[in-house]
Structures are given as structure tokens and as C-alpha cells.
Amino acid sequence: MDRSETPKTAVGLSEGETRILMLRPSKTGDVVCELRPLFPSRDAGTYSALSYAWGDPKDTENITVEGKDFPVTRNLKSALINLVNLGDPLPIPLWVDAICINQHDDEENRQQLGLMSDIYRKATNAIVWLGPEADDSSIAMQSLIKLAQYCLEHKLHGIDIGKARGNSAQWTTVRAVIGCLDFAFERSNEIPLRAIQALLERSWWSPVWTLQEFALAKDVDFRCGSDRLTWQQLWYAMKILFLCSKLETPTVLEHIVVIGPMVRNFYRSRAFRVSLQEKAHSNGTLFRAMSYAYQCGSECSDHRDYVYGVLGMANDEAAKSVVVNYATLTVKNVFVQATKQLLRVHGLDLLRYCYFRAEKRDVELPSWVPQWNGLRVCGLLGSRFRSQRRASSGLPRAVEPVSLGEHDTITLGGVAIDTIVSFADRVQDHDSMNEWLQELRKMIQNSEIYTSLHERMEAVWRTPCADTIYDGHKQLRKAQSKDGQVIKLLLDNSSENLLNGKDETTYVFEDVSVNSMDWAKIRCSIPKSKFHKHGDTMKRTRDYVHSVVQPLPDWRVFATEKGYLGLGPSTAQLGDHVCIFATAGTPHILRPVKTGSDSYRLIDEAYVHGLMKGECKANKLTAFTLI
């Protein structure tokens, strides 16, 4: 029987109304329920919302709704049977999307998506169904409860991991406590990580819809088979596992590659949930919700749900302007629509998520539209002091920075800077850093832009790291003049003029990265006398080399015709244009569709030394049409 034929779901809903499922006991052991009207804003706290993975939509079994057979997925039926059999007071008022929304009515789907935020926020709690007992799931659930208790007993729940790592005494204490963790598991004397891994690999953890449900609910109750776990218990258990991964505890090393990303995704989900709960939805932007969904590893079979599936977590004008239309809009249509609204409301910072790919993509999109189903977490500069990037501050303000054209184009006002004429090879290893920096020196020896030795030296060392440094704990900081002094030692080591022949003895040192997963050695030969004048040479050199080699593996240094030195993507080509858009924080690289054309493909953003602080001045803007 078609779901749309069930009497109560065939009846239209008024504004702000949904349906609630009343789950009742049955003598036959079957699932029997009735539908009642529900206004979340009026009936807050009178029902629970079920969060589950649909499973195979073709694998269905019947339940009884309003006295008639109603097909649901096998996983949903197992969840409902579980709720009836676990002794919860009956009838259970429950909101279940597959039953309470007419899945065959596109207009109702659109209307109910707009209510999703209220439905989960106003529910007493969200009941998360992870599935029936299997793969030692009961052992995993009980172990997570033990880990939570251990976390509380040893007061680890309040530990700020970032601050703790900077406090050697506190970090030593944490390490000692975690080192004794095995003894909390008396029978096997070890954490059953394989069972926990299997539990975290269940299908509930990945869909984008479940992230929304988890983030919005006041309280969350996790169930797997007959076992239950509160949200707080899961959070404390995950904190222990996260500490284990950071400390590389021997008990987790075998599974760290698999469990580590899962725990990090949970951390991101939890951070987003806390943010939405504490700030009462005021900061929920569509862009933030979409980017969090990707960062948390969320997936969906229908790629349109990368946009539609997070609308309940957003409350800005961009989210309100997105029209939900499963009937006629393609994935490309939805991605383009969402991006236009985001550009209109939030400006050009969104362009850092757009980048040219040489290979064929799942969904072919305009160059200015992010691949929302494979979003890059950050661009070249990412979070590298983006708020301080003001490349366009010397340009006139555009009345309309973004003109949203037809046929999947946009037009931006900006200034053409120069054309790329050469690239430096990527630095191959740490030993070749000296020679590589010398190569950059030669690229701008005839620069019209950097006319003094000091200006050229600044460009040479600041460009490869985008003027920012990762320290030994991978904390980001602005590059400092002292970093430049160290790099000058590297560059000048072979210079007879600077050595003056007075000290030919060199100080050779090796350093091992703080990150033990990457045993990268850094070798540098620096005059011994000069080394003693700069006592932190080893640390600053290590940090600089790591800042150049590790975080930016797919970027390379380029020079322009006038002699600008920049850092751009490996997909950039000779002849690409460097430009600055009005209101943009960074320069961008464009590729003309054809010679003499005013239409371009957006390649990526770029760091260009001498253009990042508003040095470019112009009285008039040029129109750039992006396709």
C-alpha cells in the first residue's frame, strides 16, 4: 500500500502544524500507532523525536497506522519495536519523519523542512536509534559508560586539551591518568576498541540529517539494542578516546587510524551542538551549517540534502531565501541557488571554498560554486589570520559587489593586477631549503615591485609561508621579523660577503618533529658564531620549514610579469591573471575563457606579497564575469 494513501498523512497541514505518532501496546507484538496533530510551538516538551538512519528504502516491513498497513524500512520498525519492549510508558508520543510527513507530497516536504528546527528544539529529547544489537555492541555501549565514569572520577571532563598541552605539568598528569586506563576494565584488562569502532561505524553517524537532529535537540538519548547511553556519557567517553589519540596511548594505536577521525568528527559535531544550544540559534548561518556538515563527515545519498538537510540549523537571510524543490531542481540548481544567496548575504569570503579541479567532478558546477558534497575545509590561507587580510581596502567600494547574472554566471568588480609568467618547483625535502630559497631570490631579481634588497628578502621568506608560522604545537601565529633573521642566515650561509671568511665552521643540527607520526628531519648549516647570536634558531627554523612544507603540499610559488611573488594552487598555469575583487580579503587567480574575453574561470585565491594589506590603489573597478 502506498504511504500517501494513509488517511491522516493524506490530509493537508496548516501553517506551523505537523503530526505526532502515538505508539501503543499491541497484544500481537506488532507496531500499532495513531496520528495526532501537533504544533511544536504550542506543544513543546510533550513528545520525543526519533533520529535514525533510514536504511535500504526498498527493504520494508509493514506496521499498523490508523488501522491500516503502512510500509516502513526494516531499521525504523526495529526502533519502534525496541521502544515498545523497553518498558517506556505507553502510549509514546513520537515524531518520526517517515510517518509524520507525507513523503509523496513535495509541497508538504518543503513545508515540514521549514518546521524541522522547531520540531527538534521543542521535543523533550531526541531518541537516537543506532540499530539492533550486533558486533559486540552491548560490550561497546557498556564500555563507553565505563569510560565516562573514569573521565568523571579523574576530573578529565573539564580539561581544555589545547591549554593542557601547553602546560607540561598538567599534560604529564593527564598522561599518567590515561596510562592507567586499562585497569578500569577488570575482566579483559583492556578497552574493547574493536567493538567501539564497529559501533562508531554504524550508519547513523554519517547522514547529514542526523547531524541536524543531534545538534538541535535539547537532550539526546542513544539506544542500541537494549542498551542506553546518555549524551553526557557519550561526550565524556569520547573525551577519553580523544585524549588517548593525542597521547598515542599504546592501547589505541592499533585502531587510531580508524577511530581517530570518528572521534574528531564527534568533537566537531559536539562543538556545533553546544554553539547552537548556548546561543539560541542566533548565529546559525547557512554557510556555517553547510561547512560544519562537511567537516563532521556527514554524507547523504541525495546531494541536494547537503543544502536542504541543514536548513533547520540556519536562521539567516540566505537560508530563508533557499527554495526547497525536490521535484524540479537538480543538484547543480540547488548548489548554484544556495551559493548565490550566500554571496548576496555574506559576501566574497565564500570564494575561498571554490577552487579549480583538473579532474572530472561528481557534479559539474560553475567555477564560483563550491563543491558542497566535497567541500574543502579551508582554502590556501584558510584561517591564517583571515580577518587581517584586507587586499581590497585600497579599492573603491562597489555599490553592488556581486551581480548575480543568469545562466549560472556572476559579475564582480575588481582590479587586474598582473599575469603569471613563472613557477618555482615545490621544495623537495628539508635539506634543499637553502637552494630553494635561492631560486626564489632569482625569480624576482629584476622585480619592478620590490626595488630594494630588503623588500626582495621580505618577499622571498614571507611568501612561501603566506606570512604565517605554525609553531611546534601547530598553533598559528603571524610571521615575525625574528623569523626573517633566521631565514636570512639560511640564505646567507653560502655568501662570502656576509661570512667575510672569518668563520667557516658551521653548526649542523637535526631536529625531530613534535608530531611523532612524521619523523621529518631538518638539517641546516649555519655559521657557529651566528647561531649563538640567535639562541632560538633551531625552533624558528623548524617552525618555518614545517610551515612551508607540511600545511601547503598542493601550492607553489609563482612570479608575475611585473615581479610580484605569490603563492598559488598547483592548478594555476602560465598566463593566468592575478586580480583583486572589491571587498575581497585576498587576491584571486583567474583564467580567461579565451584570449581577449571578459569571462573567466575562478582558479583559487592566492597570497601575493605586497598586495595583502591594501597596497593596490585604484579609482575605477573593472567588471569580471565568472562562469
Side-chain angles (χ1 to χ4, degrees):
M1 181 176 182
D2 194 289
R3 259 180 273 192
S4 61
E5 296 177 14
T6 301
K8 292 292 179 65
T9 56
V11 177
L13 297 169
S14 60
E15 186 175 351
E17 180 187 7
T18 186
R19 306 179 184 90
I20 197 71
L21 188 73
M22 301 302 293
L23 191 59
R24 298 192 178 280
S26 168
K27 295 179 180 179
T28 63
D30 199 1
V31 176
V32 177
C33 47
E34 302 167 355
L35 291 172
R36 296 287 183 268
L38 175 78
F39 289 86
S41 57
R42 182 194 67 191
D43 303 322
T46 63
Y47 64 96
S48 297
L50 184 66
S51 179
Y52 64 102
W54 275 42
D56 185 353
K58 296 179 181 179
D59 184 12
T60 63
E61 295 183 359
N62 285 336
I63 63 171
T64 302
V65 179
E66 296 292 329
K68 295 187 177 182
D69 286 344
F70 189 90
V72 297
T73 61
R74 185 184 299 272
N75 190 47
L76 174 53
K77 183 171 183 179
S78 71
L80 297 175
I81 291 174
N82 177 271
L83 289 173
V84 172
N85 293 338
L86 276 185
D88 293 78
L90 297 174
I92 301 173
L94 196 64
W95 188 85
V96 184
D97 56 357
I99 304 173
C100 297
I101 301 175
N102 184 350
Q103 300 298 322
H104 294 270
D105 185 332
D106 291 326
E107 177 58 27
E108 183 172 307
N109 262 281
R110 184 196 64 77
Q111 180 196 35
Q112 293 293 292
L113 275 177
L115 273 180
M116 196 73 73
S117 175
D118 272 351
I119 290 171
Y120 275 90
R121 284 181 180 277
K122 303 295 185 181
T124 304
N125 67 334
I127 299 174
V128 171
W129 174 246
L130 297 175
E133 184 175 341
D135 302 318
D136 293 327
S137 59
S138 183
I139 294 175
M141 293 285 280
Q142 293 304 314
S143 297
L144 289 172
I145 293 173
K146 284 186 178 181
L147 286 171
Q149 292 171 343
Y150 192 84
C151 183
L152 279 171
E153 289 171 4
H154 295 276
K155 297 181 173 56
L156 296 176
H157 58 289
I159 292 287
D160 183 315
I161 295 175
K163 292 180 180 178
R165 294 184 72 178
N167 183 325
S168 58
Q170 188 178 25
W171 197 237
T172 300
T173 301
V174 171
R175 185 182 293 275
V177 171
I178 294 297
C180 298
L181 185 58
D182 282 353
F183 297 102
F185 296 84
E186 294 87 355
R187 282 184 294 179
S188 61
N189 202 37
E190 65 176 13
I191 310 169
L193 286 170
R194 193 175 298 280
I196 293 175
Q197 175 183 326
L199 186 70
L200 296 179
E201 287 176 338
R202 293 202 175 201
S203 56
W204 181 86
W205 302 97
S206 55
V208 68
W209 289 104
T210 58
L211 171 64
Q212 175 176 256
E213 295 156 5
F214 169 73
L216 293 175
K218 289 179 183 177
D219 195 14
V220 185
D221 182 20
F222 293 86
R223 304 194 183 192
C224 184
S226 59
D227 293 287
R228 304 170 75 157
L229 187 69
T230 68
W231 144 247
Q232 207 65 38
Q233 287 172 324
L234 181 61
W235 162 233
Y236 291 158
M238 287 293 196
K239 183 120 187 194
I240 290 283
L241 291 175
F242 190 69
L243 285 169
C244 288
S245 69
K246 288 296 181 183
L247 291 165
E248 295 178 12
T249 308
T251 53
V252 304
L253 283 179
E254 180 184 352
H255 299 270
I256 194 64
V257 174
V258 177
I259 286 186
M262 294 175 182
V263 174
R264 285 193 294 273
N265 287 343
F266 179 83
Y267 249 69
R268 296 186 183 109
S269 302
R270 183 258 180 189
F272 192 39
R273 169 183 162 79
V274 169
S275 175
L276 288 179
Q277 297 287 331
E278 290 181 350
K279 299 189 178 181
H281 202 46
S282 60
N283 68 333
T285 66
L286 178 59
F287 170 69
R288 188 163 178 265
M290 291 168 71
S291 59
Y292 257 106
Y294 181 73
Q295 291 176 43
C296 295
S298 298
E299 301 173 356
C300 46
S301 56
D302 187 334
H303 287 183
R304 292 173 294 186
D305 288 339
Y306 283 106
V307 179
Y308 294 161
V310 300
L311 290 177
M313 296 187 289
N315 195 33
D316 60 343
E317 286 303 314
K320 294 175 182 177
S321 301
V322 171
V323 177
V324 178
N325 184 347
Y326 283 101
T328 61
L329 294 184
T330 65
V331 175
K332 178 181 178 181
N333 295 150
V334 174
F335 284 10
V336 168
Q337 178 197 58
T339 304
K340 282 187 174 182
Q341 297 305 327
L342 287 167
L343 286 170
R344 180 180 62 83
V345 175
H346 299 294
L348 300 187
D349 193 45
L350 179 74
L351 294 182
R352 64 172 155 149
Y353 293 89
C354 306
Y355 60 106
F356 176 78
R357 287 181 178 178
E359 72 276 9
K360 186 175 178 63
R361 302 191 288 186
D362 293 340
V363 181
E364 289 302 316
L365 299 168
S367 64
W368 51 273
V369 176
Q371 191 86 17
W372 293 111
N373 59 316
L375 191 66
R376 177 172 60 176
V377 174
C378 57
L380 159 66
L381 303 178
S383 59
R384 294 185 168 211
F385 297 95
R386 180 164 293 277
S387 63
Q388 298 178 28
R389 308 294 189 187
R390 49 187 189 279
S392 65
S393 60
L395 305 185
R397 298 295 90 183
V399 176
E400 188 178 8
V402 183
S403 176
L404 305 176
E406 298 179 355
H407 307 299
D408 301 336
T409 66
I410 61 171
T411 300
L412 308 178
V415 174
I417 301 297
D418 208 356
T419 303
I420 296 175
V421 295
S422 64
F423 292 97
D425 294 331
R426 286 291 306 164
V427 59
Q428 297 301 313
D429 52 50
H430 303 82
D431 290 340
S432 61
M433 180 63 70
N434 299 52
E435 292 78 8
W436 185 72
L437 290 172
Q438 293 289 0
E439 180 187 347
L440 304 189
R441 225 177 186 179
K442 293 176 183 177
M443 290 174 66
I444 56 170
Q445 60 186 354
N446 298 317
S447 172
E448 301 174 18
I449 308 302
Y450 319 121
T451 56
S452 69
L453 177 62
H454 172 74
E455 288 175 341
R456 289 195 293 275
M457 186 68 75
E458 288 287 293
V460 165
W461 78 264
R462 289 185 185 272
T463 299
C465 66
D467 202 23
T468 50
I469 302 292
Y470 281 99
D471 66 17
H473 297 292
K474 294 190 176 181
Q475 298 298 311
L476 199 63
R477 63 173 175 81
K478 286 284 290 181
Q480 303 167 352
S481 58
K482 288 184 178 180
D483 299 306
Q485 293 171 5
V486 171
I487 304 311
K488 288 172 188 176
L489 289 176
L490 292 177
L491 283 166
D492 297 339
N493 182 32
S494 58
S495 171
E496 292 182 4
N497 290 333
L498 290 173
L499 286 177
N500 292 322
K502 294 181 180 179
D503 189 353
E504 297 181 359
T505 304
T506 57
Y507 187 99
V508 182
F509 63 88
E510 296 182 2
D511 184 40
V512 178
S513 166
V514 171
N515 179 4
S516 61
M517 300 295 285
D518 177 15
W519 298 95
K521 292 183 177 180
I522 301 173
R523 292 175 176 269
C524 298
S525 297
I526 295 177
K528 192 173 183 179
S529 59
K530 293 180 182 292
F531 175 81
H532 289 305
K533 292 179 182 178
H534 303 278
D536 60 349
T537 298
M538 179 183 290
K539 181 181 184 306
R540 287 186 180 273
T541 305
R542 177 202 64 196
D543 292 348
Y544 179 81
V545 173
H546 284 186
S547 300
V548 172
V549 176
Q550 291 183 335
L552 304 172
D554 297 322
W555 300 82
R556 54 181 178 166
V557 175
F558 64 83
T560 70
E561 189 173 1
K562 295 177 184 177
Y564 280 108
L565 199 64
L567 184 65
S570 59
T571 51
Q573 299 176 1
L574 298 179
D576 285 350
H577 296 187
V578 177
C579 77
I580 299 177
F581 299 129
T583 73
T586 65
H588 285 83
I589 296 176
L590 304 181
R591 183 168 301 155
V593 175
K594 57 183 178 180
T595 305
S597 172
D598 62 353
S599 294
Y600 300 85
R601 287 188 176 86
L602 177 64
I603 304 303
D604 215 317
E605 64 179 355
Y607 173 92
V608 182
H609 188 75
L611 290 176
M612 305 304 292
K613 300 177 181 179
E615 294 92 336
C616 176
K617 309 295 181 183
N619 296 318
K620 186 178 179 181
L621 299 178
T622 301
F624 295 88
T625 298
L626 304 186
I627 65 170

